[in-house]
Amino acid sequence: MIQAIRGTHDILPGEVERWQRLEVVAREVCRRYGYQEIRTPVIEQEELFAKGTGESTDIVQKEMYTFTDKGGEKVTLRPEVTPSIVRAFVEHTLDQKLPISKLYSMGPMFRYERPQKGRYRQFHQFDVEVFGIEAPSLDSEIIEMAAKFVAELEINDSELIINSVGCKNCRPAFSQALLAALDDKLPQLCADCRRRAETNPLRIFDCKVVADQSIIDGLPHTVDHLCPSCRDHFNEVKRGLEAYALDYQISHRLVRGIDYYMRTTFEILGKHLGAQDALLGGGRYDGLVKHLGGSDYAGIGYAAGLERLIMAMPEASGLINFPIVYVIAIGEVSSSPVQVLARDLRNAGLSAFIDYKVRSLRSQMKHADKIGATHVLIVGSNELERREVLLRNMATGDQEIITRDTIVDHLCKIESTLVNK
Ligand code: HAM
């Protein structure tokens, strides 16, 4: 039997309702905060991520699904969508076309990581990006929006962590301070860290190797090496979060595993998720738009992992029980009158089901119960002749005769009270 590829997963009926609710909440939060949707291809030129995500990141070094297509072009299944949105922003001169560049996107991402709980090779993100605004008050608004999104999903056991990773002015001095602090300890670190020390010392904070952690925990903090404007920016972001009465912790190791970040970084962690606990993460990336060929626009955003949000959402959320009307023909009645009746119910916005397996009334009633039908409509030859139907309420067992002409309206009235409950 052919099975799904390792690290990918099917989202089955019964589970998909939670995904639908998650997507509805995401879109609704975006509407309230003034974001417009953008959809970009899942496949891009490899160079976009090499340049955008960054050559020194684990994503580009080890995790990309890159292949040469039949035309000889090196292409990559997107490991994240931020570079794609920046590309689209530049390619379509959206700065001139949109009154305000606040964009969101949802869809699958691909990273060749070692699969484990909360970590997949194909996973889904809800991603938000804003271009052209440098003000630290946008940083606090975006963080507040992320926290609101998580709260709207009824995830109450989360934790907000923030940091500042400085800018191109203060970063070189910090990298020097890091290397100086490592000095004689560097040979004790893993091969990846030794490579990172050469390519981008800040990436040493991404290391997950257990034996390296005590050395890394003792390294200098970025926030102690910020230039005056980065320090002011960070203080302003913290003030904004305090004004929103949002609890946060400063996490000195939060440099995030991607090269484009500058100044603010943040994550929201799910407290009961285990090792892969980041529900969402993001930060500021002024300079990336220019780096990818656009004008010098500021940028900031975040992405949430939908699989992890689903895991953290309360068990019952998302299960909207839509009423179902089960329509049964009995005796000599052919299926066409019930088909027309079901069509009329559907046209009126109700969910109607017909069993085409030609089973007994008894087994159809059982089946109606199984699929959660709220009402059953029975049409026999007597009813058909008198233009009537027998309506049975599945919850109470009550039955009544209703005329064919009024049944649709009658059910619409009852069902609307059920939906609103
Ligand atoms: P990221 O931290 O790499 O950031 O990913 C964001 C979120 O995606 C993570 O917090 C996690 O919830 C989820 N995620 C990442 N990898 C996996 C995986 N293998 N399996 C399941 N979930 C995963 C970014 O992708 C940036 N583009 C965020 C951003 C947007 N920064 C600025 N704008």
Side-chain angles (χ1 to χ4, degrees):
M1 190 191 54
I2 301 170
Q3 294 186 328
I5 290 175
R6 188 164 130 83
T8 70
H9 62 105
D10 302 307
I11 304 167
L12 302 175
E15 191 189 354
V16 81
E17 292 75 10
R18 284 157 75 77
W19 284 77
Q20 289 167 345
R21 171 157 147 72
L22 176 52
E23 287 156 14
V24 166
V25 170
R27 288 183 200 286
E28 170 57 16
V29 170
C30 284
R31 185 191 64 76
R32 279 191 245 152
Y33 284 77
Y35 287 78
Q36 290 176 287
E37 185 173 1
I38 180 165
R39 301 184 189 194
T40 60
V42 294
I43 193 164
E44 298 270 5
Q45 290 181 37
E46 181 198 25
E47 193 194 348
L48 177 67
F49 303 106
K51 240 181 135 172
T53 309
E55 293 279 11
S56 71
T57 61
D58 281 357
I59 296 178
V60 172
Q61 291 275 327
K62 310 177 190 169
E63 297 169 4
M64 294 213 299
Y65 280 89
T66 297
F67 58 96
T68 307
D69 70 12
K70 290 190 168 53
E73 196 170 357
K74 269 271 186 89
V75 294
T76 298
L77 294 180
R78 62 183 183 191
E80 56 148 347
V81 73
T82 308
S84 308
I85 295 180
V86 172
R87 178 200 49 70
F89 177 77
V90 175
E91 189 173 330
H92 303 285
T93 55
L94 293 185
D95 55 333
Q96 289 157 42
K97 291 180 185 145
L98 295 178
I100 179 157
S101 300
K102 294 175 94 174
L103 301 165
Y104 78 92
S105 201
M106 266 189 275
M109 308 293 151
F110 305 85
R111 295 185 194 175
Y112 195 80
E113 294 193 82
R114 196 169 48 77
Q116 64 176 87
K117 184 176 169 233
R119 190 163 70 191
Y120 302 91
R121 290 182 173 167
Q122 178 178 332
F123 59 98
H124 299 78
Q125 284 186 344
F126 161 56
D127 182 280
V128 160
E129 313 289 352
V130 183
F131 299 116
I133 300 169
E134 282 171 38
S137 39
L138 177 65
D139 305 32
S140 52
E141 188 194 89
I142 277 223
I143 296 173
E144 192 272 334
M145 178 214 193
K148 172 58 51 88
F149 171 53
V150 170
E152 294 266 317
L153 295 170
E154 299 167 80
I155 300 171
N156 302 317
D157 53 352
S158 64
E159 184 188 1
L160 168 64
I161 56 174
I162 64 164
N163 193 20
S164 173
V165 293
C167 66
K168 62 178 186 302
N169 297 327
C170 41
R171 185 81 54 80
F174 178 70
S175 295
Q176 285 311 311
L178 262 187
L179 292 176
L182 278 172
D183 192 26
D184 53 332
K185 298 185 200 87
L186 194 57
Q188 298 166 42
L189 293 181
C190 68
D192 272 344
C193 281
R194 295 200 299 275
R195 172 182 55 81
R196 289 166 177 142
E198 308 239 313
T199 53
N200 184 353
L202 203 67
R203 295 268 68 86
I204 288 174
F205 288 107
D206 297 337
C207 178
K208 302 280 184 315
V209 175
V210 179
D212 290 3
Q213 299 308 308
S214 61
I215 296 177
I216 297 171
D217 282 338
L219 293 175
H221 298 161
T222 49
V223 288
D224 297 329
H225 292 78
L226 298 178
C227 62
S229 55
C230 284
R231 201 176 318 127
D232 288 349
H233 189 98
F234 193 47
N235 286 336
E236 206 45 53
V237 175
K238 289 189 286 183
R239 262 196 288 280
L241 297 181
E242 278 145 30
Y244 285 124
L246 278 177
D247 283 337
Y248 64 86
Q249 298 289 325
I250 295 175
S251 169
H252 297 296
R253 287 191 55 170
L254 185 63
V255 295
R256 310 244 324 113
I258 298 175
D259 282 351
Y260 47 63
Y261 291 114
M262 53 89 71
R263 294 190 170 160
T264 316
T265 53
F266 63 94
E267 284 187 356
I268 296 183
L269 311 178
K271 284 193 186 150
H272 299 108
L273 285 183
Q276 302 302 318
D277 61 350
L279 290 170
L280 61 86
R284 183 165 276 286
Y285 52 82
D286 304 356
L288 180 63
V289 179
K290 186 162 181 225
H291 185 60
L292 291 178
S295 306
D296 197 4
Y297 282 110
I300 180 169
Y302 68 85
L306 302 194
E307 281 78 2
R308 296 189 193 170
L309 291 170
I310 293 282
M311 280 164 60
M313 279 161 68
E315 234 3 86
S317 59
L319 302 174
I320 308 163
N321 271 326
F322 285 105
I324 301 170
V325 184
Y326 199 104
V327 200
I328 304 176
I330 51 168
E332 298 302 298
V333 175
S334 76
S335 61
S336 45
V338 295
Q339 283 183 289
V340 173
L341 178 55
R343 186 227 25 216
D344 292 350
L345 292 166
R346 290 169 185 150
N347 282 352
L350 297 172
S351 170
F353 185 93
I354 301 178
D355 178 34
Y356 287 107
K357 288 191 177 152
V358 199
R359 291 187 281 195
S360 68
L361 175 63
R362 204 175 121 84
S363 22
Q364 290 197 56
M365 291 298 284
K366 266 194 182 163
H367 190 226
D369 195 42
K370 199 166 165 192
I371 69 165
T374 47
H375 290 91
V376 169
L377 283 183
I378 301 168
V379 185
S381 39
N382 288 347
E383 283 87 4
L384 197 60
E385 212 166 278
R386 292 200 294 264
R387 288 196 57 77
E388 287 170 352
V389 292
L390 178 68
L391 171 66
R392 182 183 171 91
N393 181 323
M394 292 297 278
T396 62
D398 294 344
Q399 300 198 153
E400 54 185 325
I401 303 280
I402 311 279
T403 65
R404 172 64 178 85
D405 293 342
T406 57
I407 185 64
V408 175
D409 279 352
H410 185 81
L411 271 173
C412 280
K413 281 197 196 102
I414 304 175
E415 301 287 16
S416 70
T417 61
L418 286 178
V419 175
N420 295 332
K421 258 191 197 163

